[in-house]
C-alpha cells in the first residue's frame, strides 16, 4: 500500500502545471471526489492495523503536497496574466480612444493666437451681465431695439441683469479696470433670444478686439485687420463698408476677398466673391468716457466677430445646430494627428 502512495507522490511531483487547463486536469486526476488520492483514502479501511499510522501519515503528506501544488499553480497563473510576466508580450495593447478638439474651440484658439502674436492679451467677462456693461456704457440709447425682450434673455428676478448679447461688454470691463495702452481680445459665449434654425442659434460665440492708446487711427485698424485676414484666411484683400454700431463711430463691416473660382466660392460668398467676417470701428468717445478713459487724450478701435460663422465657412458645416448636438460622428471628424 505504501508503494502506491510513493508512486502517486512521484507522479504528482513530476507534473508540470503551466496552464489553467493543466491545473484543472491535475485537480480532477488527483484531488476530486474520484481522484487518485481520494480513492486511496477510501482504501484506508483495508489497511492492516499496524500499518495504518504510517500509511495515514504518508497519505496526508501526499494530499497536502498535491493541494499546495494546485493552489500555487493557480496563483502564479493569475499573477502572470495580470502583469504579463508569462503572458504574450507581443499582443497589441488596449488602444486609447483619442478625443477631438471642438471646431469652435479650434477656431477660437487660432484667432486668439493670431492676435497674441501682435501683443494682444486675453480678457474675459461674466456671461450674466448687467445693463451697464452690455448696453448703457456701450452707448445704446434707452429705447434701442436691441434691448428689446425679443433679443435679450433677461434674468427674471432682476431685469437689470441679462445674459450678455455680445462680448463687447468685456470692452467696457477692460477699460474700467486698466488705463491705456489697452490691447485685448475677449473670446466668449453670447446669448440671444432668437429662433433656432440651420443658420442661427440662441447661444453662440464671439471674439471681441479692443485697442486704446494715444493716436490710434482708423488706418491702424485697417492694418491689423489686413494682418488678420492674411494670417487666418490666407487672403490679402479686405474691404470696409460703412455700417452702424452704437459703440463705434465711424463703424464698418469688414469683408475679406475670397475669390469666385468655383461653385463652393459662389456658395460661400453668395455669388459676390466677398466674405463678411466682422464688425468694427473707432470706439465712440461716449464709450471711452463711460468707461473712465479721457477721449481728449486717447482714441481706439474695436472689432467683433462670430466664431460659428467662421467655423461653418472653414469646415463647410451646413447647420449651426451640429455644434451643440454632441453627435460623435460629427465631432470625430475634427480629430487631428495620430
Ligand atoms: N457687438 C457686435 C455684435 O454683436 C459686434 C461688433 C461690431 C463688435 C463692431 C465691435 C465692433 O467691437 O466695433 O454684432
Amino acid at each position: 500500500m505504501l508503494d502506491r502512495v510513493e508512486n502517486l507522490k512521484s507522479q504528482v511531483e513530476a507534473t508540470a502545471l503551466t496552464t489553467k487547463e493543466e491545473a484543472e486536469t491535475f485537480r480532477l486526476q488527483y484531488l476530486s471526489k474520484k481522484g487518485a488520492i481520494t480513492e486511496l483514502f477510501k482504501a484506508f479501511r483495508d489497511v492492516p492495523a499496524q500499518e495504518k499510522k504510517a500509511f495515514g501519515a504518508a497519505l496526508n503528506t501526499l494530499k497536502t503536497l498535491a493541494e499546495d501544488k494546485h493552489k500555487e499553480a493557480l496563483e502564479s497563473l493569475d499573477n502572470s496574466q495580470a502583469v504579463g510576466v508569462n503572458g504574450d508580450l507581443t499582443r497589441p495593447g488596449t488602444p486609447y480612444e483619442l478625443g477631438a478638439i471642438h471646431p469652435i474651440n479650434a477656431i477660437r484658439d487660432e484667432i486668439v493666437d493670431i492676435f497674441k502674436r501682435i501683443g494682444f492679451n486675453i480678457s474675459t467677462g461674466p456671461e450674466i451681465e448687467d445693463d451697464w456693461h452690455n448696453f448703457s456704457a456701450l452707448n445704446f440709447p434707452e429705447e434701442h431695439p436691441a434691448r428689446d425682450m425679443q433679443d435679450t434673455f433677461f434674468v427674471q428676478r432682476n431685469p437689470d441683469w441679462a445674459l450678455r448679447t455680445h462680448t463687447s461688454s468685456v470692452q467696457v470691463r477692460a477699460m474700467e479696470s486698466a488705463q491705456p495702452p489697452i490691447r485685448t481680445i475677449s473670446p466668449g459665449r453670447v446669448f440671444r433670444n432668437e429662433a433656432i434654425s440651420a443658420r442661427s442659434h440662441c447661444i453662440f460665440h464671439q471674439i471681441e478686439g479692443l485697442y486704446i492708446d494715444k493716436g490710434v487711427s482708423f488706418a491702424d485698424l485697417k492694418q491689423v485687420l489686413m494682418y488678420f485676414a492674411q494670417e487666418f484666411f490666407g487672403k490679402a484683400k479686405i474691404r470696409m463698408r460703412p455700417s452702424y454700431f452704437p459703440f463705434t463711430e465711424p463703424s464698418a463691416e469688414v469683408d475679406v476677398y475670397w475669390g469666385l473660382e468655383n461653385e463652393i466660392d459662389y456658395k460661400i460668398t453668395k455669388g459676390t466673391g466677398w466674405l463678411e467676417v466682422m464688425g468694427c470701428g473707432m470706439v465712440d468717445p461716449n464709450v471711452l468716457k463711460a468707461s473712465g478713459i479721457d477721449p481728449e487724450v486717447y482714441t481706439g478701435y474695436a472689432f467683433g466677430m462670430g466664431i460659428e460663422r467662421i467655423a461653418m465657412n472653414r469646415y463647410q458645416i451646413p447647420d449651426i445646430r451640429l455644434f451643440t448636438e454632441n453627435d460623435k460622428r460629427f465631432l470625430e471628424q475634427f480629430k487631428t494627428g495620430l
Side-chain angles (χ1 to χ4, degrees):
M1 272 312 226
L2 266 178
D3 286 356
R4 282 174 65 189
V5 177
E6 281 307 312
N7 257 344
L8 272 184
K9 192 173 166 218
S10 23
Q11 272 179 38
V12 164
E13 278 169 346
T15 313
L17 303 181
T18 54
T19 65
K20 288 199 166 176
E21 290 72 35
E22 283 172 7
E24 180 59 6
T25 310
F26 177 87
R27 189 188 66 81
L28 289 171
Q29 193 176 346
Y30 298 104
L31 295 164
S32 65
K33 267 193 185 149
K34 292 202 169 131
I37 297 175
T38 322
E39 292 295 329
L40 274 186
F41 272 100
K42 289 178 194 159
F44 191 73
R45 277 182 266 131
D46 311 324
V47 174
Q50 68 274 22
E51 287 175 26
K52 268 196 160 62
K53 197 173 167 201
F55 180 78
L59 196 52
N60 273 327
T61 312
L62 172 63
K63 189 182 171 209
T64 312
L65 178 81
E67 279 174 351
D68 287 353
K69 181 166 181 137
H70 178 248
K71 199 171 136 213
E72 276 164 28
L74 283 187
E75 276 171 9
S76 86
L77 285 169
D78 272 352
N79 283 342
S80 71
Q81 262 154 20
V83 297
V85 171
N86 295 323
D88 181 357
L89 296 177
T90 64
R91 282 180 62 194
T94 314
Y96 287 105
E97 208 184 320
L98 287 182
I101 297 189
H102 194 283
I104 294 298
N105 290 346
I107 295 289
R108 178 201 60 199
D109 291 349
E110 196 177 324
I111 296 174
V112 165
D113 275 352
I114 289 171
F115 285 101
K116 264 170 49 180
R117 263 182 260 150
I118 53 169
F120 281 72
N121 67 15
I122 301 169
S123 49
T124 56
E127 291 181 344
I128 299 176
E129 192 51 282
D130 52 37
D131 179 272
W132 171 255
H133 292 97
N134 197 76
F135 295 125
S136 295
L138 287 166
N139 202 32
F140 279 81
E142 208 53 65
E143 72 290 355
H144 196 280
R147 295 184 182 210
D148 206 308
M149 299 296 283
Q150 292 203 332
D151 286 318
T152 308
F153 286 115
F154 288 95
V155 173
Q156 228 175 21
R157 288 203 312 182
N158 185 346
D160 186 48
W161 286 346
L163 300 183
R164 65 178 176 197
T165 58
H166 53 181
T167 44
S168 301
S169 56
V170 188
Q171 270 190 39
V172 179
R173 289 183 175 275
M175 289 188 272
E176 282 173 341
S177 61
Q179 277 300 303
I182 296 169
R183 216 191 263 113
T184 191
I185 48 167
S186 324
R189 199 156 61 142
V190 301
F191 309 83
R192 289 201 194 158
N193 196 351
E194 271 169 20
I196 300 175
S197 71
R199 306 293 307 174
S200 90
H201 207 290
C202 57
I203 303 176
F204 54 102
H205 298 78
Q206 291 186 334
I207 293 189
E208 186 81 13
L210 178 72
Y211 179 33
I212 311 282
D213 204 350
K214 287 181 183 153
V216 178
S217 71
F218 202 88
D220 296 322
L221 170 60
K222 185 169 183 190
Q223 192 61 45
V224 99
L225 297 180
M226 283 168 72
Y227 157 79
F228 170 70
Q230 181 63 56
E231 293 297 303
F232 187 84
F233 294 101
K235 311 280 181 189
K237 196 156 115 187
I238 65 169
R239 75 177 178 192
M240 299 170 98
R241 284 178 289 114
S243 183
Y244 173 77
F245 300 101
F247 36 90
T248 42
E249 181 59 34
S251 306
E253 295 278 352
V254 182
D255 301 338
V256 170
Y257 188 66
W258 183 264
L260 257 189
E261 274 160 27
N262 55 42
E263 214 173 311
I264 293 187
D265 294 347
Y266 265 86
K267 224 175 84 191
I268 291 175
T269 67
K270 302 189 191 102
T272 66
W274 292 91
L275 190 67
E276 206 181 299
V277 290
M278 67 175 97
C280 69
M282 299 306 290
V283 179
D284 194 292
N286 286 340
V287 176
L288 294 174
K289 233 182 286 170
S291 311
I293 286 172
D294 186 352
E296 300 295 330
V297 182
Y298 296 106
T299 53
Y301 62 69
F303 55 86
M305 60 190 120
I307 302 184
E308 273 77 359
R309 190 132 59 94
I310 292 175
M312 287 167 84
N313 163 52
R314 161 77 63 93
Y315 301 118
Q316 289 300 295
I317 297 167
D319 191 320
I320 198 169
R321 290 169 288 201
L322 285 162
F323 290 123
T324 42
E325 275 169 358
N326 271 342
D327 185 331
K328 258 181 107 182
R329 293 167 304 177
F330 171 72
L331 298 172
E332 274 172 351
Q333 295 178 63
F334 302 96
K335 281 187 179 173
T336 49
L338 291 176

